[in-house]
Amino acid sequence: MEILDYAFMQRALLAAVLVGITAPAVGIYLVQRRQALMGDGIGHVAMTGVGLGFLLSWSPVWMATLISVVGAVLMELIRWYGKTRGDIALAMLFYGGMAGGVMFINLAPTGSNANLTSYLFGSLSTVSQSDVTAICLLAAFVVLVTLGLRRQLFAVSQDEEFARVTGLPVRALNLLTAITAAVTVTVAMRVVGLLLVSALMVVPVAAAQQLSRSFAATFAIAVAIGVTVTISGTVTSYYQDVPPGATIVLLTIAAFILTTALATPLARRRARAAAAAQAAGDPAECVIPASRAGEGKVGV
């Protein structure tokens, strides 16, 4: 294929695959916790890290990772202790992060608004070999956490009080989830962009929930959708000369619409099967009640 003859596209496609895996892998826990917009907030904070990277002549990806992790920890602390003033503190954190990024990158000798735009909305041609190395290392961390601790993270995401009673370190796991989300944002920013990464963390999960109620199946379908749309969006961006981040997000929304259309007749068949089973005196299949289907909860 012609597209693979170019080194920058090889790097972009590799980064796209890793983003397609990691974003939904973390997003499923955020959706369970009803923190779907957490990625968006971390993306605002990460802008300060990008600006500092240019100002200090250090890798913007690693600096954004550091600042994002600090911001994610602060978000969790505000959630625990903020109470009535928590939303105001979060707003200041988010908008302060955005303003700091713009300020630092304009103070940097080699920085410009064009540099910042590539991080805000993604850019295929600017993914360097050092970026790919950083993305691979960060993606490995995300996969290890989301798969290795899936039972513990799922338990905490479903019911913190129950998880605490069973002896799980709830606060430590909440912090780990926040840190993993921060790392995922920096993994995705070179392909999707900081302002659009939250969509890739949430929408594939929402699409997968239309087709499955079990956690394992939802996880697998969401990752499959994530990889498909990131690769398709990257290839489309190359051939049509359109922004990669916007293309990927629009394809993700299209996938959600498609799965919703497919799920409607599937839900009707399940309802008829359940009614037939009840009429025959058999126990109905155990599923999530329809009243809770839209709450983002899935069962194991």
Side-chain angles (χ1 to χ4, degrees):
M1 294 178 62
E2 174 195 351
I3 192 173
L4 296 178
D5 293 337
Y6 300 98
F8 79 94
M9 283 307 301
Q10 295 173 10
R11 295 192 294 268
L13 285 169
L14 175 58
V17 170
L18 295 175
V19 170
I21 294 172
T22 55
V26 174
I28 191 169
Y29 299 108
L30 298 182
V31 171
Q32 292 285 94
R33 292 154 57 96
R34 295 181 178 85
Q35 294 180 331
L37 296 179
M38 185 177 185
D40 187 53
I42 295 174
H44 285 67
V45 176
M47 289 176 59
T48 292
V50 172
L52 276 175
F54 280 100
L55 182 63
L56 302 177
S57 299
W58 202 48
S59 168
V61 174
W62 287 113
M63 182 61 79
T65 302
L66 176 62
I67 299 299
S68 296
V69 167
V70 173
V73 171
L74 287 175
M75 289 171 63
E76 274 300 299
L77 293 176
I78 291 171
R79 189 171 74 89
W80 294 342
Y81 304 114
K83 297 182 181 178
T84 57
R85 298 268 180 186
D87 56 340
I88 299 175
L90 286 174
M92 289 191 294
L93 181 65
F94 297 164
Y95 297 123
M98 182 182 292
V102 174
M103 180 63 70
F104 288 139
I105 204 164
N106 278 278
L107 292 175
T110 59
S112 67
N113 288 332
N115 297 127
L116 187 59
T117 300
S118 68
Y119 287 90
L120 290 177
F121 302 104
S123 175
L124 298 180
S125 60
T126 58
V127 180
S128 65
Q129 186 59 49
S130 62
D131 289 336
V132 171
T133 301
I135 290 171
C136 288
L137 293 173
L138 295 171
F141 168 78
V142 172
V143 171
L144 285 174
V145 170
T146 54
L147 290 180
L149 296 174
R150 62 188 181 279
R151 294 185 183 277
Q152 294 88 337
L153 294 177
F154 176 81
V156 173
S157 299
Q158 284 287 96
D159 191 333
E160 287 190 6
E161 292 302 321
F162 177 78
R164 186 175 289 108
V165 170
T166 59
L168 289 176
V170 172
R171 288 195 173 181
L173 289 170
N174 281 336
L175 278 175
L176 183 60
T177 302
I179 290 170
T180 307
V183 171
T184 303
V185 168
T186 55
V187 168
M189 68 180 182
R190 301 302 281 135
V191 177
V192 185
L194 292 172
L195 296 184
L196 299 175
V197 63
S198 185
L200 195 58
M201 298 170 75
V202 173
V203 180
V205 177
Q209 286 178 339
Q210 304 299 313
L211 303 177
S212 174
R213 298 288 177 84
S214 76
F215 178 79
T218 301
F219 189 102
I221 295 172
V223 170
I225 292 174
V227 172
T228 301
V229 297
T230 50
I231 293 178
S232 301
T234 302
V235 172
T236 302
S237 177
Y238 171 77
Y239 284 110
Q240 301 298 323
D241 192 25
V242 291
T247 304
I248 290 170
V249 171
L250 289 175
L251 288 175
T252 308
I253 295 173
F256 174 79
I257 295 173
L258 178 61
T259 54
T260 301
L262 293 174
T264 301
L266 180 62
R268 289 174 180 170
R269 284 197 298 269
R270 285 175 176 170
R272 286 196 296 266
Q278 288 180 341
D282 297 329
E285 181 185 1
C286 181
V287 296
I288 296 178
S291 61
R292 294 189 61 190
E295 293 183 5
K297 296 284 188 179
V298 293
V300 179

